[in-house]
Amino acid sequence: HAGSVAAPSMNNEEIYRNFINLTSEGYWMMNAAREIVEVNDALCRMLGLAREEMLGRRPGDFVDEANREIFAFQTARINETLHRIYDITLKSKSGEDVHTRFNATSVCDAAGNLRHSFAFITDVSELRRVESELRRSLSEQGIILENAGFGIALSGKQKFLWVNRQLEELLGY
């Protein structure tokens, strides 16, 4: 076909390795014994760890203490469901919290036995920080509106959706 560009010649293993290593998402794979057998560079950077510090270990070793019960529950579900999405806090090598969203999948053989499971791991720390700041800001605004020296109402569709205490007192409700 004239003018077409041939795709580079790669075998499936090379395509898989490129995909896993070039993605910005963290990635780990566990064997049936629930040991980490593969990680990508993005996850190593996310946690500040070298590959060798992760391989052969259990994923729970990297989970924040407060999230271990959640992680144990999700890990126990590996045999029950093939796909899980959940949020968990991991600990970096330096001890920093890394808030993550796991997109985990189990792979079973034809008899239904677990062969391995893997997860793409998104660092949502910045999102959590922004959400926390927004909640704090909204809380401050609520305090200001509630304690204003005059009546304030939020209305829509010909009814009040919210009123502050001052307006309640002014209207006698």
Side-chain angles (χ1 to χ4, degrees):
H1 188 214
S4 67
V5 178
S9 175
M10 287 191 194
N11 64 34
N12 286 342
E13 178 72 16
E14 289 172 315
I15 291 169
Y16 160 80
R17 293 274 171 223
N18 280 334
F19 173 73
I20 296 301
N21 285 319
L22 294 176
T23 184
S24 62
E25 304 294 306
Y27 170 86
W28 70 24
M29 180 188 291
M30 294 187 306
N31 61 19
R34 303 209 180 22
E35 301 164 327
I36 298 172
V37 295
E38 184 67 58
V39 296
N40 70 353
D41 293 341
L43 183 60
C44 291
R45 282 190 304 275
M46 192 183 299
L47 298 180
L49 293 162
R51 287 173 64 78
E52 298 74 31
E53 293 177 284
M54 297 185 75
L55 297 178
R57 292 186 58 194
R58 295 180 114 18
D61 294 345
F62 306 101
V63 175
D64 168 84
E65 186 70 36
N67 285 250
R68 289 224 168 111
E69 191 174 316
I70 297 167
F71 191 75
F73 171 76
Q74 291 296 340
T75 302
R77 292 181 62 221
I78 285 174
N79 293 336
E80 297 170 17
T81 180
L82 297 181
H83 195 77
R84 298 159 312 283
I85 297 175
Y86 56 95
D87 291 354
I88 206 90
T89 301
L90 301 177
K91 280 289 186 192
S92 71
K93 185 175 185 174
S94 66
E96 298 287 320
D97 286 345
V98 181
H99 302 284
T100 63
R101 173 152 300 140
F102 271 63
N103 190 335
T105 301
S106 300
V107 178
C108 297
D109 62 20
N113 299 311
L114 179 70
R115 292 186 54 211
H116 60 269
S117 62
F118 62 90
F120 286 96
I121 303 160
T122 305
D123 184 343
V124 294
S125 298
E126 179 63 14
L127 176 62
R128 294 293 173 260
R129 187 194 67 71
V130 169
E131 287 174 344
S132 177
E133 181 65 25
L134 180 59
R135 275 192 298 278
R136 185 190 62 74
S137 178
L138 289 172
S139 176
E140 288 173 357
Q141 289 176 14
I143 290 168
I144 291 168
L145 292 172
E146 190 61 44
N147 295 302
F150 47 88
I152 301 173
L154 174 64
S155 63
K157 296 187 181 181
Q158 299 179 350
K159 57 174 121 169
F160 289 125
L161 300 174
W162 178 87
V163 298
N164 69 351
R165 266 183 288 156
Q166 293 293 70
L167 190 58
E168 287 175 349
E169 290 174 13
L170 285 170
L171 298 176
Y173 291 101

